[in-house]
Amino acid sequence: MHVTRDFSHYVRAAGEGVQHIDLAVEGVHCAGCMAKIERGLSAIPDVTLARVNLTDRRVALEWKAGTLDPGRFIDRLEELGYKAYPFETESAEAAEVAESRLLLRCLGVAAFATMNVMMLSIPVWSGNVSDMLPEQRDFFHWLSALIALPAAAYAGQPFFRSAWRALSAKTTNMDVPISIGVILALGMSVVETIHHAEHAYFDAAIMLLTFLLVGRFLDQNMRRRTRAVAGNLAALKAETAAKFVGPDEISQVPVAAINPGDIVLLRPGERCAVDGTVIEGRSEIDQSLITGETLYVTADQGTPVYAGSMNISGTLRVRVSAASEATLLAEISRLLDNALQARSRYMRLADRASRLYAPVVHATALLTILGWVMAGASWHDAIVTGVAVLIITCPCALGLAIPTVQTIASGAMFKSGVLLNSGDSIERLAEADHVIFDKTGTLTLPDLEVMNAADIPADIFELAGRLALSSHHPVAAAVAQAAGAKSPVVGAVEEAGQGVRATVDGVQLRLGRPSFCGAEALVGSVDPEASIVAFSKGSEKFVLSVRQGLRPDAKAVIAALKARNIGIEILSGDREAAVKAAANALDIPEWRAGVTPADKIARIEELKQRGAKVLMVGDGMNDAPSLAAAHVSMSPISAAHLSQATADLVFLGRPLAPVVAAIDASRKALHLMRQNLWLAIGYNVLAVPVAISGVVTPLIAAAAMSGSSILVMLNSLRARSASREIV
Amino acid sequence: MEILVILVPLALMLGGAGLVAFLWSLKSGQYDDLDGAAWRAIADEEPAPEAPPKR
């Protein structure tokens, strides 16, 4: 059979006779890597551009159309020691990038205008206490207006749009008071300038926009970075399938280019990337990622297979069906839809603050106006004072309080191997007081380990590993890896469904089922989760027990969670004996086995009734509904796609430690957010009486505003130390 | 005070030039890879290839 790699799905034209491809590259982290990759790829003839993006860990390549197969780049990077995968920008990420560029442009315009208006305001402030002529002051005010009005009209777009959307939907958000404040301040300043007044607030209005845009940009940048990493991870998970493009011609194509009705080949040891039905072949499949069940299921003609299943022993031909036609998935997706609908819209801290903020501030301004009128002031003076109240209570510190902490905390989490899917997950994670773990693939590692390697003589074990290299069976692969075998045994023959045999120096070697090696007598008390593999060298016989091991630091993490007074339990779809063993090993008294997705949700609801805030940690397709139903959820990077998309946080690597690190970081971040809000409110409590009494000048407003914003930003920097080692 | 008629527009033009320069640098993709740019500055080889223009 002939196999080709097809990258046409990822290649796009980049102008006249030039083609472009983006690759996500693993393991690029310094200038050395960057130079090495760029030089190595530029050396290929006809390559017109090779540029590494170190922030996003990607490389952009362009070459003269039709001269090269993109596969060469991947092979070249392989030679240089980097794994690379073709990469497709998702629309979500493209939108985030466009949004953050718009914010940066607005920020540039606002900052430019702020500086120049300030340059004109300072002469006015100092002139007001010395010998400035009214004509000169008016001239400066008109100049300020000339700069501030167009700049605010441009840079205020993000706020005006979002405020308009909120008002059209008859709700309110933080942007409504911001827009009202800015527009009123500018309008009043123009009117005052026409009347040759002493004070105008052009500088305050545009400075307010600048500070708010900084907060907005930080917020957006955090989301963009997360999206970029998530996009890379999607590419690194190498979603390709072997599709039949002819009777016996196969092409390795990206899943995105596969349609229902196509036939794909599933070889032993491969993970299935599509949903479909087996049309030919017999094999066992491991569905632990779908159901949490660690025992293998037999698959032959007519058996449905799901994306994420691992093919174990035989070769299968699978006809691709449209996603989730299958009954099991239909049940899961129905539960998931229900859970997503029931997901009570969590009121974010920022929204809760703004919900209180807007009415209070507007009422205060209105009462100020009325109060002054009753006290005998003119309407004009009363309104000027009222607008001064709106300006001085500017929400800039409030608008910075949360995004700055989120940005810095997410950066700290990033370093400890945790990615955020949504900004408010930090707040929800900080509230979690009860953790539910799935077992398979969450507490345990998804790959297999040889449990009794220490009991087998080293030379025998190494020989078994070398023999195992000749089989595609995942259990054999685990033996080969554990033994560190490099060179396969010459002349090894695989007997499908039985094992591998070879003859070395006249001695027969066999590795496979106990019956295949005549070692049934040795199989004693069977570990419920283990696959037993036998190895015979002539008449010497050994059995190896292969199973998923617990994550290396699982026990320490559970202890750390207990120390933080967090309740822990296991809910697993696996069989009782298997779950019990893990629960005992980790010292978790609360566990349930054989749990269906619906049962998991029921248990979460039960805990919710009791007032617990549940963190669900799971990886299987069967966990997706409960990940959505829980207060906050995490999944490992090895999780099924559906689960990863549903979870609020995704953690990387083999250890479980990121779970605790994320809880700690989020608790610290929430504490800082609250502190920031109190700082902002405290500033307002001090500033408002001054504004109501009518003695606020533009100078005082500017000083107080920037002072409070800078204080809040400095306080947020304390979130940097959030990532500590826990174990 | 007549000097203001020259100085104020001059100041605004300088500021405007700065703004235009910033917008251009943003458009030409100079903010797309801040980590990489930091390293490129101290790399002691021939200059790196041009950033791909943003489409």
Side-chain angles (χ1 to χ4, degrees), chain A residues 268-269 282-287 296-300 310-316 473-474 497 513:
Chain A
R282 269 189 71 87
S283 176
E284 296 165 304
I285 47 178
D286 167 6
Q287 291 202 329
Y296 300 149
V297 185
T298 312
D300 52 12
M310 169 76 90
N311 183 22
I312 304 293
S313 46
T315 303
L316 298 172
H473 199 290
R513 290 173 182 269

Side-chain angles (χ1 to χ4, degrees), chain A residues 166-190:
Chain A
L167 288 176
S168 317
K170 297 203 169 41
T171 60
T172 169
N173 60 9
M174 202 70 186
D175 295 329
V176 175
I178 290 171
S179 303
I180 292 177
V182 169
I183 292 170
L184 274 181
L186 289 172
M188 179 194 83
S189 303
V190 171

Side-chain angles (χ1 to χ4, degrees), chain A residues 324-346:
Chain A
S324 58
E325 276 177 11
T327 46
L328 167 79
L329 287 186
E331 169 70 0
I332 286 179
S333 63
R334 189 182 57 78
L335 283 170
L336 181 62
D337 284 347
N338 288 349
L340 285 172
Q341 273 164 14
R343 208 175 207 179
S344 52
R345 287 290 301 121
Y346 178 77

Side-chain angles (χ1 to χ4, degrees), chain A residues 12 20 31 34-35 38-39 49-55 62 101 104-105 108-109 112 116 119 136 140 143 147, chain B residues 1 4 8 11-12 15-16 19 22-23 26 29 32-36 39-40 45 48-52 54-55:
Chain A
R12 52 191 174 77
H20 180 108
M34 214 158 58
E38 283 176 357
R39 267 203 309 267
L49 169 88
R51 190 177 165 99
V52 175
N53 182 327
L54 194 64
T55 316
E62 288 180 3
R101 282 172 162 258
L104 205 49
R105 271 207 308 275
V109 170
F112 153 82
N116 284 281
M119 177 186 83
Q136 287 168 343
F140 276 73
L143 269 177
I147 302 165
Chain B
M1 275 302 152
L4 283 182
V8 167
L12 289 184
L19 178 65
F22 168 75
L23 291 178
L26 177 66
D32 291 351
D33 180 18
L34 294 175
D35 302 6
W39 284 110
R40 282 179 207 280
E45 288 117 21
E50 275 290 297
K54 277 293 155 200
R55 276 168 295 269

Side-chain angles (χ1 to χ4, degrees), chain A residues 163-498:
Chain A
W164 183 248
R165 265 202 304 273
L167 288 176
S168 317
K170 297 203 169 41
T171 60
T172 169
N173 60 9
M174 202 70 186
D175 295 329
V176 175
I178 290 171
S179 303
I180 292 177
V182 169
I183 292 170
L184 274 181
L186 289 172
M188 179 194 83
S189 303
V190 171
V191 172
E192 291 289 274
T193 304
I194 292 172
H195 290 139
H196 311 292
E198 218 174 288
H199 297 308
Y201 286 98
F202 294 112
D203 53 325
I206 191 79
M207 181 158 93
L208 163 61
L209 278 181
T210 307
F211 276 126
L212 287 169
L213 280 164
V214 169
R216 227 20 88 91
F217 174 70
L218 287 174
D219 197 26
Q220 182 60 37
N221 218 23
M222 174 182 90
R223 276 208 292 272
R224 191 191 66 84
R225 195 175 50 178
T226 310
R227 277 258 187 278
V229 174
N232 279 4
L233 290 172
L236 299 187
K237 290 183 91 172
E239 286 289 293
T240 63
K243 173 181 148 182
F244 281 93
V245 289
D248 59 354
E249 193 174 353
I250 297 176
S251 179
Q252 205 67 31
V253 293
V255 170
I258 288 187
N259 302 311
D262 287 345
I263 313 279
V264 298
L265 185 75
L266 199 53
R267 287 163 292 222
E270 275 188 350
R271 205 175 270 287
C272 186
V274 294
D275 294 341
T277 320
V278 178
I279 54 171
E280 195 184 309
R282 269 189 71 87
S283 176
E284 296 165 304
I285 47 178
D286 167 6
Q287 291 202 329
S288 62
L289 200 56
I290 320 287
T291 59
E293 168 71 58
T294 39
L295 276 189
Y296 300 149
V297 185
T298 312
D300 52 12
Q301 199 175 349
T303 310
V305 289
Y306 308 107
S309 329
M310 169 76 90
N311 183 22
I312 304 293
S313 46
T315 303
L316 298 172
R317 285 188 184 215
V318 175
R319 184 189 301 282
V320 180
S321 58
S324 58
E325 276 177 11
T327 46
L328 167 79
L329 287 186
E331 169 70 0
I332 286 179
S333 63
R334 189 182 57 78
L335 283 170
L336 181 62
D337 284 347
N338 288 349
L340 285 172
Q341 273 164 14
R343 208 175 207 179
S344 52
R345 287 290 301 121
Y346 178 77
M347 269 289 279
R348 298 195 320 199
L349 198 55
D351 294 338
R352 272 179 293 178
S354 70
R355 192 149 294 199
L356 278 173
Y357 168 90
V360 168
V361 165
H362 289 165
T364 312
L366 200 64
L367 287 174
T368 307
I369 295 174
L370 295 178
W372 276 104
V373 169
M374 279 186 217
S378 70
W379 274 103
H380 169 265
D381 288 352
I383 289 174
V384 168
T385 315
V387 174
V389 169
L390 276 186
I391 293 172
I392 198 92
T393 56
C394 97
C396 40
L398 220 51
L400 287 169
I402 303 218
T404 46
V405 176
Q406 273 185 351
T407 304
I408 294 164
S410 77
M413 286 192 186
F414 210 78
K415 285 201 181 76
S416 47
V418 181
L419 303 176
L420 300 170
N421 268 350
S422 59
D424 60 355
S425 46
I426 295 183
E427 295 163 38
R428 282 184 284 124
L429 183 60
E431 294 170 347
D433 54 13
H434 192 97
V435 187
I436 298 179
F437 284 104
D438 167 52
K439 179 187 71 75
T440 319
T442 304
L443 289 174
T444 61
L445 281 165
D447 28 359
L448 298 167
E449 290 172 28
V450 181
M451 301 313 285
N452 60 344
D455 311 339
I456 311 281
D459 58 325
I460 295 286
F461 191 41
E462 205 242 344
L463 200 57
R466 284 179 52 202
L467 189 56
L469 280 175
S470 303
S471 168
H472 285 297
H473 199 290
V475 173
V479 172
Q481 194 176 0
K486 295 277 183 295
S487 54
V489 176
V490 180
V493 182
E494 181 161 21
E495 291 193 15
Q498 293 298 318

Side-chain angles (χ1 to χ4, degrees), chain A residues 111-174:
Chain A
F112 153 82
T114 304
M115 288 187 263
N116 284 281
V117 173
M118 263 312 156
M119 177 186 83
L120 296 164
S121 294
I122 289 169
V124 174
W125 297 336
S126 47
N128 277 342
V129 293
S130 56
D131 58 350
M132 192 177 219
L133 303 173
E135 302 79 65
Q136 287 168 343
R137 189 172 57 221
D138 285 350
F139 170 65
F140 276 73
H141 276 169
W142 279 120
L143 269 177
S144 304
L146 186 74
I147 302 165
L149 291 175
Y154 181 80
Q157 286 179 86
F159 304 99
F160 300 154
R161 277 207 205 109
S162 132
W164 183 248
R165 265 202 304 273
L167 288 176
S168 317
K170 297 203 169 41
T171 60
T172 169
N173 60 9
M174 202 70 186

